[in-house]
Amino acid sequence: MALQAWDGGRAGASQREIAVALFGGARVAADWAAGDHMRKRVARLVRTGDRLVAGAGPGMLRRETS
């Protein structure tokens, strides 16, 4: 999920757009305005994705072809 959030962020998606992709439109519509819990969760997922990608090294995320 963190890598999906990271990928969405890299593609220019807003936090709300990432939330819709991860959790579905109905849940985002119900929870987004209720507080900042979901927004903070998306931000944490993007940061976790940043750390995963940074720690993966260049070869782990590249597809090797034979």
Side-chain angles (χ1 to χ4, degrees), residues 15-65:
Q15 287 184 345
R16 187 179 179 108
E17 290 170 330
I18 294 169
V20 168
L22 296 176
F23 306 115
R27 183 168 172 198
V28 172
D31 293 349
W32 196 261
D36 60 352
H37 171 75
M38 185 172 285
R39 184 188 57 78
K40 286 183 177 181
R41 183 170 182 196
V42 170
R44 280 193 307 271
L45 286 167
V46 172
R47 283 193 312 272
T48 299
D50 285 337
R51 287 192 300 273
L52 287 169
V53 170
M60 285 188 73
L61 297 176
R62 206 170 312 143
R63 186 176 190 185
E64 302 268 339
T65 57

